[in-house]
Amino acid sequence: MSLTHDPLEKRLSRADDRVRLSHWLPPQAGVIPKIRVGERWINALWALPLIFVLVITGVALCQALRQLPQVQDFLVRYPGIPRSAVAVTAGFPGWLRLLHFLNLFFMVFIIRAGVQILADHPRLYWKRDCTPGTEWFRFQKAVPTDRIWTAKDDSVTLPGWLGIPGIRHSIGLARWWHFSTTLLWMVNGVVYYVLLFSTGQWLRIVPTTWDVFPNAVSTAIQYLSLTFPADESWTRYNGLQQLTYFGTVFIAAPVSIVTGLMQSPAISNRLGWFGRVLNRQRARSIHFIALWWFLLFILAHVTLVFITDARVNLNMMWAGVQDSSWSGFAVFLPAMLLLATAWWWASPWTLRHARLVQHVGAFLSRPFGAATQSWDAKSQLGENAISPYFWPNGTMPKSAEFDAMVANGFVNYRLRIGGLVENPIELSLADLEAMPKQEQITTHFCIQGWSGVAKWGGVPMRDLFDLVKPTADARYVVFYSLADGADGGRYYDAHSLANMRHELTILAYEMNGGPVSVLHGAPLRLRCENELGFKMVKWIAAIEFVHSYTDLGAGEGGYNEDHEFYGYRVPI
Ligand SMILES: Nc1nc2c(c(=O)[nH]1)N[C@H]1C(S)=C(S)[C@@H](COP(=O)(O)O)O[C@H]1N2
Ligand SMILES: [Mo]
């Protein structure tokens, strides 16, 4: 289709298909993680000596306890294995061993990519508004108050062996890793659940009698006093094993999935009271605590595997035999080699093949995207929910033309609307203000992890549809900005027609009752409440209705999609 685009189309830039570090945000180190207790920030590394002291004291205490006749009686009454733990004579069948390995394999990448996502906004809060100083955890300095400090300025670099891909503000790529491996992990988990319950293996990890608790206390005393309980792992688990495995499989895993999904604007805004109670920051904080459950579980699990007869344990879970041969090691070592190779390869490969990671990730994440796109997000909040602080983000307009517009109060600003429409028009700010105004109090979800609530006022997009009358060919609405993006070339983004007709899609010229500030997008910025923040173009210059966006910029549907490998529409 030959069509003359808006003049700003010439200002869009192509983008590299790989990450060029010279075009990327320069590295910035974070600080050692800190936890806030009241007004004080405590270095999280204190946890290490604390855990050491706790373990040493625990060992001494449990050894002393075992001298007491009452405790000895208790250990005889509750030797460790709950009454309900029926022996599973099949041992560890092949499917279980394979799923165990796949679970470990996917978890490694889920965790690494998850930490990378966290590093894009290295602070955790309980309240939805993300006001600096109210976070309870951070690995970044306090927010500077003497200059504009955007959420992008706040992101920190990770070592490439830890995060995927490690470099600063690589959340676009990290999300593909996180979502794709999570999907595979969830499929693995569903297969595991089904086989668990259809083969009787569930009897290992689901306690059905209350004596699991005293038996768990008993086994904890035995492990801690370093006189280990009799091990019957081939057929059944003791109380402590049952409780920790049950907690990991049936509590920590579902909690991680739910708190992951609740960070999505489309899902959170759709779920009404649930989205308000489990707001994005609570979900993000609990998601992080669940991570720590998994990390501590892995640490304790692996330690116990290796100190309670490694050879026998590895034989059971890696070779499916109950003997003291070396067959377990023969499977375990190549499996670890495979994992180590993938670990080593993931970050450098991702930087080299960023576009491929984006496309494969988008393909694998389709189930999430499809689920969220049809969600009609209508959640609005009350005045009292408005955030005292709203993080600014993005690359500010830097042109004499824009400065002149600001200086004269945008009187000569004109919004162009054209493309596949019957009536192309140009509107001044006064024209827009003369149209019916819609106000809405909504939550902003930045892809980086922060959120904020504001009252927005402006013109509903559907009213502009009535004015310009899109043709039958129009499928997307492209917003061009007055500002360039971080890597040069004009900032733009494309939206589906349906989403632009949504009742909560407006062109906002007001924020919290006053004119929207330059920092937040004056004279006009988009609000589209079931999308992530980056899709809401600020400083809008022109709107164009198109049939396809593949001939614009690098063809991915927007500036961040082109340059930072974000998803065109994955509002999770
Ligand atoms: N023109 C332009 N619009 C933009 C951006 C940008 O860099 N340039 N950043 C986006 C991102 S990532 C977010 S989170 C929101 C931030 O809006 P705020 O500054 O009002 O918080 O604007 C979006 N719109
Ligand atoms: Mo953002």
Side-chain angles (χ1 to χ4, degrees):
M1 193 177 319
S2 81
L3 185 96
T4 42
H5 284 296
D6 186 273
L8 280 178
E9 185 264 337
K10 300 255 175 322
R11 310 287 279 274
L12 305 184
S13 61
R14 310 273 314 156
D16 273 312
D17 289 341
R18 56 173 293 169
V19 173
R20 305 233 176 243
L21 293 179
S22 54
H23 288 233
W24 209 257
L25 218 53
Q28 167 173 261
V31 301
I32 290 168
K34 292 183 168 63
I35 296 170
R36 185 172 60 85
V37 180
E39 299 283 284
R40 288 177 60 101
W41 283 97
I42 297 174
N43 188 323
L45 289 184
W46 282 111
L48 295 176
L50 189 71
I51 290 173
F52 183 73
V53 169
L54 282 178
V55 170
I56 295 288
T57 321
V59 170
L61 191 73
C62 288
Q63 288 184 337
L65 279 176
R66 285 188 84 153
Q67 308 297 318
L68 300 176
Q70 297 91 324
V71 173
Q72 285 166 3
D73 290 348
F74 174 75
L75 295 186
V76 171
R77 236 179 108 202
Y78 299 104
I81 305 224
R83 265 185 291 120
S84 67
V86 180
V88 179
T89 48
F92 296 92
W95 64 263
L96 189 66
R97 287 180 273 129
L98 178 66
L99 298 187
H100 174 259
F101 169 69
L102 290 175
N103 178 66
L104 160 69
F105 193 87
F106 296 141
M107 283 293 273
V108 163
F109 297 99
I110 294 174
I111 291 175
R112 290 183 57 198
V115 174
Q116 183 75 62
I117 291 171
L118 182 63
D120 236 72
H121 189 70
R123 307 173 190 273
L124 290 169
Y125 317 78
W126 292 111
K127 285 201 290 187
R128 188 199 316 259
D129 58 57
C130 303
T131 303
T134 66
E135 64 268 44
W136 65 269
F137 174 87
R138 68 176 199 221
F139 49 106
Q140 172 58 297
K141 296 185 208 70
V143 173
T145 49
D146 56 344
R147 62 200 130 129
I148 292 174
W149 187 254
T150 66
K152 276 180 194 159
D153 292 331
D154 209 45
S155 62
V156 296
T157 311
L158 291 177
W161 60 262
L162 174 61
I164 305 179
I167 60 168
R168 184 170 169 217
H169 188 49
S170 51
I171 188 166
L173 294 165
R175 278 164 54 97
W176 297 128
W177 274 95
H178 198 63
F179 299 157
S180 320
T181 46
T182 294
L183 191 78
L184 298 174
W185 177 73
M186 281 166 58
V187 170
N188 191 62
V190 169
V191 173
Y192 171 69
Y193 276 20
V194 168
L195 287 174
L196 200 64
F197 287 101
S198 57
T199 59
Q201 287 281 350
W202 65 274
L203 288 163
R204 279 182 188 280
I205 62 169
V206 181
T208 52
T209 49
W210 292 110
D211 71 327
V212 65
F213 292 104
N215 276 302
V217 172
S218 160
T219 19
I221 294 174
Q222 295 177 68
Y223 281 125
L224 262 179
S225 61
L226 302 182
T227 309
F228 299 146
D231 189 81
E232 297 182 32
S233 292
W234 179 250
T235 55
R236 53 190 184 155
Y237 288 149
N238 63 45
L240 199 59
Q241 285 174 308
Q242 282 204 328
L243 287 183
T244 44
Y245 292 150
F246 181 87
T248 304
V249 170
F250 295 110
I251 300 173
V255 162
S256 301
I257 293 167
V258 170
T259 52
L261 291 173
M262 289 309 288
Q263 294 175 58
S264 145
I267 296 175
S268 178
N269 279 335
R270 176 67 184 78
L271 290 184
W273 68 268
F274 191 64
R276 283 194 285 277
V277 174
L278 191 59
N279 70 52
R280 187 191 222 193
Q281 300 312 322
R282 285 197 187 135
R284 197 163 172 262
S285 288
I286 297 171
H287 204 65
F288 178 74
I289 291 167
L291 162 69
W292 276 97
W293 170 271
F294 282 112
L295 290 177
L296 292 176
F297 170 83
I298 294 167
L299 181 71
H301 175 70
V302 172
T303 305
L304 282 169
V305 162
F306 278 89
I307 65 175
T308 62
D309 205 335
R311 214 183 329 161
V312 169
N313 289 332
L314 290 178
N315 284 346
M316 292 195 280
M317 195 40 112
W318 295 85
V321 294
Q322 190 195 19
D323 59 25
S324 54
S325 66
W326 289 96
S327 49
F329 265 105
V331 185
F332 177 72
L333 289 181
M336 288 305 107
L337 202 64
L338 181 67
L339 180 61
T341 309
W343 188 316
W344 165 83
W345 157 95
S347 286
W349 189 83
T350 300
L351 295 180
R352 268 201 305 280
H353 302 281
R355 193 68 73 198
L356 184 63
V357 170
Q358 177 187 29
H359 290 165
V360 173
F363 176 77
L364 284 173
S365 305
R366 266 190 193 173
F368 295 121
T372 50
Q373 283 183 33
S374 53
W375 288 58
D376 181 12
K378 291 187 176 162
S379 184
Q380 294 199 57
L381 299 151
E383 299 264 348
N384 59 348
I386 294 175
S387 306
Y389 183 90
F390 200 98
W391 279 81
N393 214 2
T395 312
M396 307 300 147
K398 287 179 210 91
S399 67
E401 172 204 0
F402 185 80
D403 292 347
M405 254 195 251
V406 175
N408 70 13
F410 296 103
V411 287
N412 48 359
Y413 167 79
R414 294 289 179 277
L415 170 69
R416 287 189 301 283
I417 312 183
L420 299 176
V421 295
E422 285 171 21
N423 294 325
I425 46 170
E426 287 200 8
L427 297 167
S428 69
L429 200 51
D431 295 334
L432 291 161
E433 282 166 355
M435 293 178 66
K437 180 169 89 180
Q438 175 171 316
E439 289 192 329
Q440 58 203 43
I441 302 175
T442 50
T443 311
H444 179 93
F445 292 72
C446 172
I447 194 169
Q448 294 185 265
W450 61 271
S451 51
V453 179
K455 176 156 105 181
W456 301 98
V459 183
M461 269 302 282
R462 57 183 186 282
D463 292 351
L464 292 172
F465 274 58
D466 295 342
L467 276 186
V468 299
K469 300 197 174 32
T471 66
D473 268 350
R475 289 198 304 168
Y476 299 98
V477 187
V478 180
F479 292 77
Y480 298 92
S481 179
L482 292 162
D484 282 344
D487 184 27
R490 200 41 68 89
Y491 196 93
Y492 78 104
D493 209 276
H495 287 267
S496 74
L497 226 55
N499 226 7
M500 290 298 96
R501 280 213 177 88
H502 191 274
E503 62 191 85
L504 288 184
T505 301
I506 63 172
L507 296 182
Y509 51 77
E510 277 184 10
M511 181 183 185
N512 296 334
V516 67
S517 63
V518 168
L519 188 60
H520 291 294
L524 210 57
R525 61 98 45 89
L526 179 63
R527 292 302 312 167
C528 171
E529 309 298 351
N530 58 1
E531 280 289 5
L532 288 163
F534 76 90
K535 300 218 47 110
M536 298 183 217
V537 176
K538 302 199 286 188
W539 314 291
I540 299 171
I543 300 176
E544 185 186 337
F545 287 72
V546 297
H547 183 71
S548 153
Y549 52 71
T550 51
D551 61 334
L552 299 174
E556 300 291 338
Y559 190 87
N560 287 314
E561 291 91 328
D562 289 348
H563 291 259
E564 296 181 358
F565 310 101
Y566 290 5
Y568 157 70
R569 249 208 102 186
V570 187
I572 62 173

